[in-house]
């Protein structure tokens, strides 16, 4: 059979139409999901606290900031006999361990130059805690640069008593106003909190564990295990929960304040680690997630697949818009049968692509999250910041097996309220 130029051109139109329609469906799905972010379902009732917590803080050369997170944990409005604070001083070359001991934390010092990173440090610490024979109901994980709202454990306790085995707190920012980079990070998190975490928790899908402010039942860890194979142990544990039939929920009144990078270089390195881990998990777990979706019609599994594929279909959306611009301005002839599958969806793809970086959408998130107007100018810079994800995603995809852990330097102590 001779494959002439016309056949190849027609085949190209078919592939373009199928790809674009697929991207359109995914954007439409996410936009429909976002509609569930305009309300908050009733929380479980607040009962007398009973959940016993092991609070874990992983620290690498954080002597200058760790006292603040430990002080905020000591000030928890929660019975002191129901939680212990543990610090793993991981490959530290400063006096992080001494500072933590001075704040009455139980400190373990770890030296391992092979299995580096927070995920391995937490796993190592869990093994040490279990060896003591002390019994806990849940763990709560925080970073050394965090500040934790005084009601955090009290809020998580209400979900634990209602039967939830994995709970994510509200990821807020310590330093949104420091630079346009930290403000862009903050806006991204405020949008995610509203249009992903809250939306999913409202309809019973799986919320994403965020690495800090994440709480898991000890029994769940015993069942699933803590053996991260990626640079993003939080997302990996979320996937394992869903495959186990457990859907993490979101505690929107339990706030943890995280420090975000001030420079593009620091932000790039942090996001590169995240995205390499993201792609590692996509290749590792897409098969089991598809299997669970088709065999059990588990929408939580499908929703995680949408999340895992998000970097790819976001890039495709921009490329498809570009292709359609070329078709339009070069006056390229498009068959009538293909125009409905290419040109028409291109309008919607462009709109949905624009939606996530457009000032009206971002301002809606800031209004719903009650962010002060002095930060609203950041929505325009966020659109610029968002474009940096395109080359970053491409590089991360093809370097996903690089296990380099980039340490983010932390300096901020006080919180700049949103």
């Amino acid at each position: 059979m001779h494959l002439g130029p016309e056949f190849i051109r027609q085949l190209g139109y078919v592939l373009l139409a199928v790809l674009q329609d697929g991207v359109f469906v995914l954007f439409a799905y996410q936009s429909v999901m976002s509609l569930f972010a305009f309300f908050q379902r009733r929380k479980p009732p607040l009962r007398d606290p009973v959940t016993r917590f092991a609070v874990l803080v992983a620290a690498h050369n954080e002597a200058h900031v760790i006292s603040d997170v430990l002080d905020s944990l000591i000030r928890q409005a929660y019975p002191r006999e129901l939680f212990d604070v543990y610090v793993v001083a991981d490959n530290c070359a400063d006096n992080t361990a001494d500072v933590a001991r001075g704040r009455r934390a139980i400190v373990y010092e770890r030296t391992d130059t092979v299995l580096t990173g927070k995920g391995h440090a937490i796993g190592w610490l869990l093994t040490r805690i279990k060896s003591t024979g002390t019994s806990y109901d849940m763990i709560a994980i925080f970073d050394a640069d965090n500040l934790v709202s005084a009601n955090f454990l009290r809020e998580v306790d209400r979900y634990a008593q209602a039967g939830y085995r994995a709970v994510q707190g509200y990821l807020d920012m310590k330093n949104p106003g420091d630079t346009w980079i930290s403000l862009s990070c903050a806006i991204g998190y405020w949008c995610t909190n509203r249009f992903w975490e809250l939306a999913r928790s409202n309809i019973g899908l799986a919320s994403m564990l965020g690495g800090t402010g994440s709480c898991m039942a000890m029994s769940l860890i015993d069942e699933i295990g803590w053996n991260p194979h990626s640079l993003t142990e939080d997302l990996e544990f979320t996937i394992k929960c869903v495959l186990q039939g457990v859907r993490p929920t979101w505690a929107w009144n339990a706030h943890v304040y995280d420090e975000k990078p001030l420079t593009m270089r620091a932000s790039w390195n942090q996001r590169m680690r995240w995205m390499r881990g993201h792609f590692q998990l996509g290749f590792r777990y897409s098969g089991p997630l598809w299997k669970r979706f088709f065999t059990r019609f588990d929408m939580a599994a499908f929703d995680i697949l949408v999340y895992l594929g998000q970097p790819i279909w976001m890039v495709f959306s921009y490329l498809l818009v570009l292709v359609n611009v070329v078709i339009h301005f070069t006056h390229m002839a498009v068959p009538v049968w293909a125009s409905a599958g290419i040109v028409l969806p291109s309008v919607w793809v462009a709109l949905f692509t624009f939606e996530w970086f457009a000032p009206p959408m971002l301002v809606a998130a800031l209004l719903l999250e009650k962010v002060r107007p002095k930060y609203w100018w950041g929505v325009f810079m966020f659109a610029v910041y968002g474009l940096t994800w395109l080359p970053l995603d491409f590089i991360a995809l093809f370097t996903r097996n690089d296990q380099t852990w980039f340490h983010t330097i932390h300096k901020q102590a006080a919180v700049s309220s949103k």
Side-chain angles (χ1 to χ4, degrees):
M1 178 180 179
H2 177 65
L3 302 181
E6 181 62 23
F7 176 83
I8 294 175
R9 188 167 68 92
Q10 296 290 333
L11 180 61
Y13 285 135
V14 171
L15 294 176
L16 180 61
V18 170
L19 181 60
Q20 189 157 260
D21 288 347
V23 172
F24 164 72
V25 169
L26 289 172
F27 271 113
Y29 171 83
Q30 174 56 30
S31 296
V32 171
M33 288 292 104
S34 298
L35 298 177
F36 296 99
F38 290 91
F39 66 95
Q40 293 180 345
R41 70 174 182 177
R42 183 176 298 178
K43 295 186 292 186
L46 195 64
R47 299 186 172 95
D48 292 336
V50 297
T51 307
R52 183 164 171 76
F53 289 93
V55 180
L56 315 184
V57 179
H60 173 67
N61 292 335
E62 305 282 13
H64 54 298
V65 294
I66 195 170
S67 59
D68 297 296
V69 67
L70 296 179
D71 288 344
S72 70
L73 290 170
I74 291 172
R75 291 193 293 266
Q76 287 293 298
Y78 200 73
R80 190 63 185 85
E81 66 274 11
L82 289 181
F83 72 97
D84 294 315
V85 179
Y86 292 86
V87 172
V88 52
D90 186 40
N91 292 313
C92 290
D94 63 1
N95 63 332
T96 295
D98 293 334
V99 174
R101 290 189 184 98
R103 289 301 197 278
R104 295 180 289 171
I106 303 169
V107 180
Y108 288 88
E109 297 183 63
R110 174 181 183 262
T111 302
D112 190 330
T113 58
V114 178
L115 297 176
T116 59
K118 176 182 171 183
H120 294 297
I122 292 295
W124 183 88
L125 179 58
L126 283 170
T127 300
R128 298 302 178 279
I129 293 173
K130 289 179 180 179
S131 68
T132 67
T134 308
S135 177
Y136 297 99
D137 300 309
M138 295 194 85
I139 66 168
I141 300 175
F142 299 100
D143 290 340
D145 64 300
N146 293 161
L147 293 176
V148 185
S149 63
N151 68 330
F152 191 95
L153 296 182
R154 192 75 177 91
E155 284 295 314
V156 175
D157 172 72
R158 75 159 78 215
Y159 289 92
Q161 291 199 53
Y164 290 97
R165 305 177 72 193
V167 182
Q168 175 60 46
Y170 186 110
L171 291 178
D172 214 334
M173 301 299 113
K174 287 169 64 175
N175 59 329
D178 283 1
T179 68
W180 75 273
I181 296 293
S182 64
L183 180 55
S184 296
C185 292
I187 290 174
Y189 270 81
W190 292 330
C191 289
T192 300
N193 283 329
R194 171 60 59 165
F195 291 112
W196 192 282
E197 298 285 21
L198 179 59
R200 266 65 183 180
S201 67
N202 277 339
I203 59 177
L205 292 178
S207 298
M208 295 293 170
L209 298 174
T212 186
S214 304
C215 305
M216 293 82 83
M218 288 293 281
S219 60
L220 181 60
I221 295 174
D222 290 338
E223 292 173 16
I224 295 178
W226 186 276
N227 53 340
H229 296 92
S230 71
L231 292 169
T232 47
E233 74 288 336
D234 47 358
L235 177 56
E236 185 169 2
F237 197 84
T238 303
I239 295 171
K240 289 181 177 179
C241 284
V242 171
L243 291 174
Q244 192 78 2
V246 175
R247 299 183 178 186
T249 194
W250 193 59
W252 63 80
N253 282 342
H255 284 238
V256 54
Y257 298 88
D258 192 31
E259 181 181 340
K260 287 305 170 188
L262 305 180
T263 66
M264 179 58 74
R265 181 176 181 179
S267 173
W268 180 278
N269 288 339
Q270 184 183 67
R271 290 181 293 151
M272 182 61 71
R273 174 176 62 83
W274 291 347
M275 295 318 300
R276 282 172 176 164
H278 192 109
F279 286 120
Q280 289 167 9
L281 296 174
F283 280 89
R284 186 182 185 89
Y285 289 105
S286 289
L289 286 167
W290 278 116
K291 180 179 179 181
R292 183 171 182 86
F293 172 64
F294 284 118
T295 58
R296 305 198 180 195
F297 198 66
D298 187 344
M299 282 303 299
F302 178 79
D303 196 58
I304 294 289
L305 284 164
V306 171
Y307 180 79
L308 288 174
Q310 183 173 327
I312 296 296
W313 51 270
M314 285 291 287
V315 170
F316 275 144
S317 70
Y318 282 101
L319 293 178
L320 289 169
V321 171
L322 179 62
V323 167
N324 281 281
V325 169
V326 172
I327 290 175
H328 174 76
F329 285 101
T330 60
H331 304 288
M332 187 180 298
V334 179
V336 175
W337 64 264
S339 62
I342 297 177
V343 179
L344 190 59
S346 71
V347 177
W348 291 104
V349 170
L351 289 174
F352 286 129
T353 301
F354 183 66
E355 171 190 11
W356 290 101
F357 299 102
M361 183 67 175
L362 299 175
V363 170
L366 302 189
L367 284 171
L368 291 167
E369 293 304 296
K370 301 179 181 178
V371 176
R372 289 188 290 176
K374 74 174 186 176
Y375 294 127
W376 290 4
W377 68 272
V379 300
F380 301 101
M381 300 311 300
F382 181 77
V384 177
Y385 178 81
L387 293 175
T388 65
W389 282 101
L390 298 178
L392 192 151
D393 285 343
F394 273 117
I395 296 171
L397 174 62
F398 293 106
T399 62
R400 62 184 180 276
N401 293 324
D402 187 342
Q403 292 289 106
T404 303
W405 181 276
F406 296 106
H407 176 61
T408 304
I409 304 299
H410 300 121
K411 300 178 180 179
Q412 187 86 9
V415 173
S416 300
S417 173
K418 69 177 181 181

